[in-house]
């Protein structure tokens, strides 16, 4: 919603909420309903307007939700519950963090940053508010929304689901304290390069990891990261240690991002990069990257407990004026998505099978790993 009057129609369950930029520095949210007879004001997903208009009886409202025209308003003279606030659009709590707009239908909710704590202090260094969307995909799944999200908030599944990622070793991802609501885990693994095989050279290991992620996940490593890891093979001497290669890769990624004209998040430290995934309770999961992020959001599709709207965003860093146009891809079923993301499709197969299996009389309840699947328990 870059311009005054730009709006998004966010639907969840039976609710429809209009999120609008009402001024250059102000964003507001309202229930998508006319206070007169309850007609929805907008049926489209997004757009730009100068006022909200009800097509039933021509009531109009400004971008702050206040009525600007009520035909024959004098007919209500003396009626109770017809003060300005009674005939204004009903507001929804709204705030921003990390470049996203967040809404809450509880009028008494705590402030957003208080709710998100301690995530802002741990993640603000990534400067996601300065990133832009590289890709935006939405898939409709015939599963429950929690089953969808739970496939992405633990790394315990890598052994069984993504064996191609384990050619260089595997350890136990450790949980990271993220407060009472949210969660995270590290990417600690026991990689070894003293045996035989293709990836005894850490330069080749990191380059292969980046190439695989770039071409199969389409996120976390972008063009700048790919150029950086390819430099490892020509600019870092053979025999360098894993730590030396990782340091060179960090340096090269920074150089390539700055060379592209984009801003580099200079406050990032190795501690910021320790977590490979964050659960933002209740329905978001984000994988952070020097080059941006890979972000998932899961939500119910209407009131059907067996249908999910699943959004996938890849965020990147761009020079001013070089940002790509956001084009949302919508897939009404998994079949239409096939062939577009090999790694995610491995996760999707689990989601479908888990949703079916959980409905079996033979299943007695989840037994999540207390260490590696603590986000599931939460």
């Amino acid at each position: 919603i870059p311009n005054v009057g730009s709006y998004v129609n966010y639907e969840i369950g039976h609710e429809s909420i209009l999120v609008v930029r009402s001024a250059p520095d102000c964003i507001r949210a309202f229930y998508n309903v006319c206070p007169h007879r309850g007609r929805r004001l907008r049926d489209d997903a997004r757009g730009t307007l100068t006022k909200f208009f009800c097509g039933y009886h021509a009531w109009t409202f400004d971008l702050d939700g206040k009525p600007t025209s009520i035909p024959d308003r004098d007919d209500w003279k003396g009626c109770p519950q017809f003060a300005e606030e009674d005939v204004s659009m009903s507001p929804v709590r709204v705030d921003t963090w990390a470049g996203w707009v967040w809404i809450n239908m509880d009028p008494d909710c705590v402030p957003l940053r208080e709710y998100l704590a301690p995530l802002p202090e741990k993640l603000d260094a990534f400067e996601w508010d300065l990133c832009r969307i590289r890709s935006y995909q939405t898939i409709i799944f015939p599963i429950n929304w929690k089953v969808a999200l739970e496939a992405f908030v633990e790394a315990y599944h890598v052994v069984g689901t993504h064996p191609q990622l384990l050619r260089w070793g595997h350890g136990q991802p450790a949980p990271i304290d993220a407060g009472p609501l949210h969660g995270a885990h590290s990417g600690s693994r026991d990689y070894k390069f003293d045996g035989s095989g293709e990836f005894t050279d850490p330069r080749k290991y990191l380059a292969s990891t980046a190439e695989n992620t770039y071409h199969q996940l389409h996120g976390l490593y972008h063009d700048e990261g790919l150029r950086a890891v390819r430099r490892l093979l020509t600019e870092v001497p053979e025999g360098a240690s894993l730590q030396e290669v990782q340091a060179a890769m960090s340096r090269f990624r920074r150089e390539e991002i700055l060379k592209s004209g984009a801003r580099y998040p200079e406050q990032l430290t190795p501690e910021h990069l320790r977590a490979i995934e964050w659960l933002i309770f209740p329905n978001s999961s984000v994988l952070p990257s020097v080059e941006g992020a890979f972000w998932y959001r899961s939500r119910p599709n209407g009131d059907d407990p067996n249908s999910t709207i699943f959004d996938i965003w890849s965020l990147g860093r761009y020079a001013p004026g070089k940002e790509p146009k956001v084009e949302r891809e919508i897939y009404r079923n998994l079949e239409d998505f096939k062939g577009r993301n090999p790694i995610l499709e491995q996760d999707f197969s689990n989601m479908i099978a888990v949703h079916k299996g959980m409905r079996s009389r033979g299943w007695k309840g989840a037994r999540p790993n207390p260490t590696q699947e603590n986000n599931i328990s939460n």
Side-chain angles (χ1 to χ4, degrees), residues 212-220 287 294 296 340-344 347:
N212 182 61
T213 303
Y214 179 91
H215 291 292
Q216 294 195 40
L217 185 66
H218 308 306
L220 301 182
L287 285 75
F294 211 58
Y296 307 107
R340 288 173 169 78
N341 196 308
I343 291 180
L344 286 184
D347 294 300

Side-chain angles (χ1 to χ4, degrees), residues 298-329:
S298 178
R299 55 185 160 135
N301 186 11
D303 62 355
D304 184 354
N306 301 311
S307 185
T308 292
I309 301 172
F310 193 76
D311 296 307
I312 307 166
W313 292 283
S314 177
L315 304 183
R317 306 186 191 280
Y318 298 92
K322 299 296 184 180
E323 305 90 346
K325 180 181 178 181
V326 179
E327 296 188 7
R328 184 183 183 186
E329 305 168 35

Side-chain angles (χ1 to χ4, degrees), residues 28-228:
R28 297 191 183 278
F30 305 97
Y31 288 101
N32 182 14
V33 61
C34 180
H36 173 216
R37 293 275 297 279
R39 187 195 193 281
R40 282 199 171 183
L41 299 173
R42 304 298 310 184
D43 294 319
D44 47 0
R46 61 182 63 241
T48 301
L49 42 67
T50 57
K51 61 184 178 182
F52 293 107
F53 175 80
C54 179
Y56 199 178
H57 299 92
W59 285 33
T60 60
F61 308 86
D62 62 23
L63 299 182
D64 291 321
K66 303 298 182 184
T68 57
S69 175
I70 298 178
D72 302 319
R73 184 168 183 170
D74 287 344
D75 288 352
W76 280 271
K77 189 174 182 180
C79 290
Q81 296 182 327
F82 213 78
E84 190 79 352
E85 61 269 20
D86 297 316
V87 293
S88 297
M89 296 171 63
S90 297
V92 175
R93 289 284 295 269
V94 61
D95 205 343
T96 60
W97 174 71
W100 300 101
V101 179
W102 303 74
I103 59 172
N104 194 321
M105 289 179 277
D106 177 4
D108 300 317
C109 65
V110 299
L112 176 63
R113 290 186 74 92
E114 180 181 339
Y115 173 82
L116 291 173
L119 298 188
E121 67 182 69
K122 295 179 180 291
L123 298 176
D124 279 349
F126 283 97
E127 298 183 353
W128 285 325
D129 56 314
L130 302 179
C131 289
R132 294 295 179 265
I133 293 175
R134 295 177 72 243
S135 63
Y136 179 5
Q137 298 165 320
T138 297
I139 310 171
I140 308 299
F141 283 109
I143 61 175
N144 184 274
W145 72 272
K146 292 183 181 180
V147 172
L149 185 70
E150 288 173 355
F152 297 96
V153 296
E154 47 89 355
Y156 188 51
H157 71 279
V158 173
V159 176
T161 303
H162 308 300
Q164 78 276 17
L165 303 180
L166 304 180
R167 288 178 290 175
W168 315 285
H170 178 64
Q172 292 184 335
I176 295 175
D177 181 23
L181 286 176
H182 317 291
H185 56 264
S186 72
S188 58
R189 292 181 181 172
D190 187 21
Y191 295 113
K192 298 179 180 178
F193 301 96
D194 55 354
S196 60
E198 181 182 1
F199 295 107
T200 57
D201 184 341
R203 300 174 308 164
K204 294 181 180 178
Y205 149 63
L206 291 177
S208 175
T209 299
E211 292 274 1
N212 182 61
T213 303
Y214 179 91
H215 291 292
Q216 294 195 40
L217 185 66
H218 308 306
L220 301 182
Y221 284 94
H222 305 158
D223 293 344
E224 295 78 15
L226 208 58
R227 291 195 295 268

Side-chain angles (χ1 to χ4, degrees), residues 222-242:
H222 305 158
D223 293 344
E224 295 78 15
L226 208 58
R227 291 195 295 268
V229 295
R230 288 173 177 173
R231 289 173 58 184
L232 294 177
L233 303 177
T234 59
E235 299 183 34
V236 177
E238 186 176 355
S241 68
L242 174 60

Side-chain angles (χ1 to χ4, degrees), residues 65 121 137 171 215 274 337 348-349:
E121 67 182 69
Q137 298 165 320
H215 291 292
R274 188 164 66 94
F337 186 79
F348 295 164
S349 66

